Amino acid sequence: MAFSDHPTATPETISDLVDCHDRMLRRDPGEPEFHQAVREVLASLPPVLDARPRLAAARLLERIVEPERQILFRVPWQDDEGRVHVNRGFRVEFNSALGPYKGGLRFHPSVNLGIVKFLGFEQIFKNALTGLGIGGGKGGSDFDPQGRSDDEIMRFCQSFMTELYRHVGESTDVPAGDIGVGGREIGYLFGQYRRITNRWEAGVLTGKGRGWGGSACRTEATGYGNVMFTAEMLRRRGEDLDGRQVVVSGSGNVAIYSVEKAQALGANVVTVSDSHGYVVDEKGIDLELLKHTKEVERGRVADYAERRGASARFVAGGSVWDVPADIALPSATQNELDGAAALALVRNGVRAVSEGANMPCTPDAVKVFRDAGVAFGPGKAANAGGVAVSALEMRQNAGRESWTFARAETELAAIMKDIHDTCYATAERYGAPGDYVVGANIAGFERVADAMIAQGLV
Ligand code: GLU
């Protein structure tokens, strides 16, 4: 890692960064996604470390890359044929300097400790940027929900919560959804928590159903928030989304509600994708058909293309980033957009790229966008709308209130604008105007670092 490439960093700062990075590699081998996420934050920090030697004296870097607590557990469950399966459960409680640990649960076969740590680390700074008093954590399992029946999903969730319940709580740790965990799973998890604890503790989980403590606009929040962030970036450049061609990857919750908000702002969204391939729809994605295919039938994007008729075509495999667009919203999963894909987008004239997923762009891709002057919204700022409305859900639960959709969406819009403006102003202050990666990393880091220093050696 060439921290020494930084144009202004002092030798002391570079040596602190290199020490922290090398120590992490030694102590946590085999966690490439975690290393990638840490490296990206460390690389943004030289200006703030140079300006504030007290952070170095307090060994803030070493502390911040070490989770406060890591929980690993066995999750045994039975399928519909009576066969026994054993999955692994994780909850990494990364940092609680700003509030209770907060972050989603991911159920996907790729989940391992390194993935959960990368997501938890990102979550610390993302949550700090919301300004809503939430710490960072993440969890999940290598359980694969694909093709499982409702009953199997319920039994798995019940078994998962039978261990997790002792570690979570409305003032301790508040999980929510992520890939593979939506409203149905949160329902089963909440039901089991309530049975075991004999408490109506609505604020222990977010993403609940509207009728039993969930917030309006939580389902929409990540996708809506990312498009709001994109609109703010464009506005700074005197542009907007109206009439723009947009490519979206993924077809889960984030992708669907990115399509919805982008269309509402006048954009023409022409793609969605899944692990089998992507759909190009020249007339623009038919949102109702997409929602029905994904949310009701739990089908694939190929099913959408088949029903949509002549305007849509399904491309098996291939890269959705080859489709020409003014704006790209990667909303599937980590490292889905590499350097070659970024070059293809830039060649086709992309103006803005904003991360709906967590770390979907590789470091090479981010460099391509920065060098080309493309407006780039990093996930920890751009996709913070989901966790922000989760924090609003916690607030409603604490006050036993239930807000209207309009109120929740208005608050979300204000939060996204504030995150945008904070990142923009911080980047400018630290000599990197227009660089939202630097702005997000430094602004998030400073909030957490200041709280940690004020709280003693934590
Ligand atoms: N999983 C989402 C994220 O990556 C939301 C977490 C939450 O609502 O707690 O931010």
Side-chain angles (χ1 to χ4, degrees):
M1 173 68 209
F3 294 115
S4 51
D5 289 350
H6 199 279
T8 60
T10 62
E12 292 75 22
T13 290
I14 291 169
S15 118
D16 280 351
L17 290 167
V18 170
D19 278 358
C20 174
H21 179 255
D22 290 354
R23 197 171 120 98
M24 167 188 73
L25 291 186
R26 262 196 324 274
R27 296 178 89 200
D28 304 302
E31 298 178 355
E33 293 83 4
F34 176 56
H35 301 158
Q36 182 184 333
V38 169
R39 213 175 277 136
E40 192 224 75
V41 171
L42 294 185
S44 296
L45 298 182
V48 72
L49 296 175
D50 284 347
R52 301 181 57 184
R54 184 145 175 237
L55 299 178
R59 312 236 16 117
L60 232 300
L61 297 180
E62 277 83 349
R63 285 194 274 150
I64 225 161
V65 301
E66 186 71 22
E68 289 177 16
R69 190 176 297 109
Q70 305 181 58
I71 302 152
L72 270 79
F73 52 99
R74 178 169 72 201
V75 190
W77 59 282
Q78 243 175 337
D79 67 22
D80 289 342
E81 275 72 54
R83 272 190 304 265
V84 171
H85 300 257
V86 179
N87 283 99
R88 191 166 283 178
F90 303 88
R91 187 73 185 166
V92 172
E93 298 181 333
F94 223 121
N95 195 303
S96 60
L98 295 178
Y101 309 106
K102 181 84 198 82
L105 298 170
R106 177 177 291 190
F107 291 170
H108 191 270
S110 65
V111 168
N112 56 41
L113 185 60
I115 295 273
V116 178
K117 282 176 66 185
F118 122 62
L119 291 164
F121 187 72
E122 289 282 294
Q123 202 82 45
I124 303 170
F125 307 102
K126 182 194 307 195
N127 294 4
L129 286 171
T130 67
L132 298 173
I134 38 180
K138 202 86 183 194
S141 174
D142 57 359
F143 170 70
D144 186 359
Q146 268 301 306
R148 290 292 170 196
S149 70
D150 253 20
D151 285 349
E152 289 174 325
I153 300 281
M154 181 181 73
R155 286 196 292 276
F156 179 81
C157 289
Q158 290 178 338
S159 180
F160 188 86
M161 185 51 89
T162 300
E163 171 59 33
L164 189 69
Y165 89 94
R166 61 187 99 244
H167 309 290
V168 297
E170 63 186 0
S171 302
T172 310
D173 184 358
V174 183
D178 196 82
I179 294 171
V181 178
R184 172 180 60 169
E185 291 74 17
I186 293 295
Y188 297 147
L189 291 164
F190 185 74
Q192 186 72 349
Y193 183 82
R194 194 168 57 69
R195 290 169 78 200
I196 296 175
T197 60
N198 191 32
R199 279 167 65 84
W200 180 272
E201 189 186 333
V204 68
L205 289 168
T206 60
K208 300 179 294 294
R210 280 289 279 139
W212 44 279
S215 176
C217 199
R218 175 62 190 88
T219 313
E220 294 82 356
T222 313
Y224 277 24
N226 189 28
V227 175
M228 291 166 176
F229 191 91
T230 307
E232 288 297 329
M233 290 198 297
L234 290 172
R235 210 154 63 87
R236 284 277 165 172
R237 297 177 167 218
E239 299 174 25
D240 60 27
L241 276 137
D242 195 23
R244 296 296 193 177
Q245 175 118 328
V246 177
V247 290
V248 170
S249 65
S251 51
N253 177 53
V254 180
I256 290 173
Y257 293 97
S258 301
V259 174
E260 184 163 288
K261 184 50 92 185
Q263 288 180 342
L265 297 180
N268 184 33
V269 187
V270 291
T271 63
V272 283
S273 70
D274 61 23
S275 55
H276 296 217
Y278 66 91
V279 168
V280 193
D281 194 330
E282 304 297 348
K283 281 206 210 137
I285 297 291
D286 177 335
L287 194 64
E288 286 319 305
L289 180 60
L290 179 66
K291 281 187 183 173
H292 186 80
T293 309
K294 292 296 302 181
E295 293 177 342
V296 181
E297 295 179 354
R298 297 185 186 271
R300 317 287 313 186
V301 299
D303 304 327
Y304 167 92
E306 202 169 285
R307 270 177 228 155
R308 175 73 163 142
S311 74
R313 105 193 121 83
F314 175 69
V315 182
S319 169
V320 69
W321 312 119
D322 289 336
V323 178
D326 303 308
I327 293 154
L329 303 176
S331 308
T333 195
Q334 66 270 3
N335 293 329
E336 56 164 310
L337 197 169
D338 62 13
L343 281 172
L345 282 166
V346 168
R347 264 198 306 272
N348 284 329
V350 77
R351 324 258 325 137
V353 178
S354 198
E355 296 185 319
N358 290 312
M359 209 170 72
C361 298
T362 65
D364 284 354
V366 177
K367 183 169 181 332
V368 169
F369 296 138
R370 279 167 141 173
D371 291 350
V374 171
F376 177 72
K380 64 172 74 69
N383 74 37
V387 78
V389 176
S390 276
L392 301 181
E393 183 170 327
M394 292 161 71
R395 191 185 293 175
Q396 291 167 74
N397 294 154
R400 298 191 188 278
E401 289 179 16
S402 179
W403 301 351
T404 61
F405 191 95
R407 173 160 180 204
E409 192 186 3
T410 303
E411 298 248 0
L412 169 65
I415 293 164
M416 294 315 299
K417 182 172 182 343
D418 181 64
I419 294 174
H420 171 276
D421 294 353
T422 299
C423 294
Y424 191 88
T426 306
E428 202 153 60
R429 183 151 32 102
Y430 283 99
D435 189 330
Y436 293 94
V437 175
V438 167
N441 287 337
I442 293 185
F445 174 79
E446 281 196 303
R447 286 183 184 174
V448 180
D450 287 341
M452 286 175 71
I453 289 191
Q455 292 171 24
L457 190 52
V458 291

